[in-house]
Amino acid sequence: MLLLDTYDVHQGIKNAIIVAKEMEEVGERLAAIRIDSGDLAKLSKETRAAFDEAGLPYVKISVSNDLDEYTIQSLFSQGAPIDSFGVGTKLATCDPQPSLGGVSKLSAVRASPNESWSPVIKLSEMAYKRTIPGVQHIKRFYDMSGCPVGDMLVDDSVDMGPSNTMLDILDTYASYDLEGEPRELLQCVVEHGRRAGEPEGILAARERCREAIMRLDPAIVRFLNPQIYPVGLELGLARLRHDLASEERTVSGAPRSASFCAYSDTLSACGALRPYRMP
């Protein structure tokens, strides 16, 4: 089974057809493909049509991505040509109980330790699955009373804009001017494959997290209609992400969405659309 949407579903379809044809030449068959993001009904129909046109009607289509019985029923009602469903999170965590999904994504590559990192990006139809390129760290800003007011993702290899201005990761129209003192949030725990210090005990970690939650504004931690805690990209990193996304869309031939154009407008308004420097 081949996963199609690691970077681009439509290019993934073309690649899978090539692989399937190569397998046929050696007497084997591609069993199935999987789609894990985007509009599953629409993409499954496009995939089925492409494989049928290529003379590969036997290749099955599997989908996943936080599926439950309601989503599956909706897909069936839309006539989605799906052969199997991968149900994981909502089967194992007793939904609607909360769950935290974590996925490792490639953000930079280099051929050897002596070379500089080259940022890479993955695009997706789903905004929260679009990756952030570069080697990043996080600055958390605190007000005078010690209350966190926002987290800023930074890549030191790109030219920074104003040190306290960031763009929202998901909302292309939102920018923030953070006030207060920034502190580095990440701490090194593993370096060169070895533990960098003594591990934190579970009780100490629990107390640290409890204290951090207590410092948050009550409007953020309330149960009913909570305010969203600001998390965004420093302008240089936002500009890098914009430029890499533009390059990827040009190469793949994918159209620029309205949200992408809005992101460009927001960057321009913040004065962030200018050449960036890589080491």
Side-chain angles (χ1 to χ4, degrees):
M1 181 182 294
L2 299 179
L3 179 63
L4 294 190
D5 61 324
T6 300
Y7 285 96
D8 181 270
V9 174
H10 297 96
Q11 185 59 47
I13 293 172
K14 297 176 184 177
N15 293 341
I17 290 174
I18 293 173
V19 171
K21 292 294 187 180
E22 292 176 345
M23 293 178 67
E24 284 185 338
E25 292 176 0
V26 295
E28 297 184 2
R29 282 189 168 189
L30 174 63
I33 59 87
R34 179 166 69 96
I35 305 172
D36 188 51
S37 63
D39 187 329
L40 298 179
K42 175 176 176 289
L43 292 174
S44 64
K45 292 177 182 178
E46 293 177 359
T47 302
R48 182 74 278 155
F51 274 86
D52 289 350
E53 184 179 350
L56 301 166
Y58 58 83
V59 177
K60 305 298 184 182
I61 297 176
S62 180
V63 299
S64 53
N65 189 26
D66 289 334
L67 299 180
D68 57 22
E69 63 272 33
Y70 304 106
T71 307
I72 293 173
Q73 178 59 43
S74 175
L75 290 169
F76 277 137
S77 68
Q78 296 174 70
I82 297 170
D83 299 291
S84 65
F85 299 89
V87 182
T89 301
K90 294 188 177 181
L91 178 65
T93 59
C94 299
D95 188 70
Q97 296 299 316
S99 60
L100 177 63
V103 182
S104 297
K105 297 292 186 181
L106 195 67
S107 64
V109 296
R110 63 180 179 180
S112 71
N114 297 324
E115 297 187 17
S116 300
W117 290 100
S118 296
V120 294
I121 191 172
K122 171 193 172 179
L123 302 182
S124 173
E125 292 185 358
M126 307 177 76
Y128 74 93
K129 286 196 172 185
R130 297 169 193 158
T131 62
I132 302 168
V135 181
Q136 309 145 27
H137 59 100
I138 308 174
K139 293 181 179 179
R140 175 164 291 172
F141 285 74
Y142 294 84
D143 62 17
M144 295 295 291
S145 64
C147 178
V149 295
D151 291 356
M152 177 189 292
L153 275 70
V154 177
D155 183 342
D156 291 331
S157 66
V158 298
D159 290 328
M160 294 182 63
S163 59
N164 67 330
T165 301
M166 69 179 186
L167 296 187
D168 192 273
I169 294 177
L170 298 179
D171 186 349
T172 55
Y173 290 99
S175 62
Y176 306 94
D177 290 320
L178 301 176
E179 297 181 357
E181 185 70 21
R183 304 176 194 171
E184 181 61 41
L185 192 61
L186 298 184
Q187 296 183 14
C188 180
V189 295
V190 176
E191 189 172 14
H192 303 301
R194 295 182 178 274
R195 182 178 290 163
E198 290 300 318
E200 183 179 38
I202 188 171
L203 295 180
R206 183 178 66 178
E207 182 62 21
R208 173 174 53 80
C209 292
R210 188 191 69 82
E211 291 181 359
I213 293 174
M214 294 297 293
R215 292 196 187 105
L216 289 171
D217 189 304
I220 293 174
V221 297
R222 67 191 181 201
F223 285 107
L224 185 62
N225 299 323
Q227 292 288 327
I228 302 300
Y229 181 78
V231 178
L233 309 180
E234 177 272 324
L235 292 185
L237 180 56
R239 185 175 65 253
L240 171 62
R241 190 189 194 198
H242 168 275
D243 292 348
L244 287 180
S246 180
E247 292 173 8
E248 288 296 323
R249 292 184 185 278
T250 299
V251 171
S252 65
R256 299 186 180 187
S257 63
S259 62
F260 181 84
C261 295
Y263 200 59
S264 300
D265 294 341
T266 307
L267 282 167
S268 180
C270 292
L273 283 181
R274 61 183 188 277
Y276 57 84
R277 171 185 57 80
M278 293 300 297

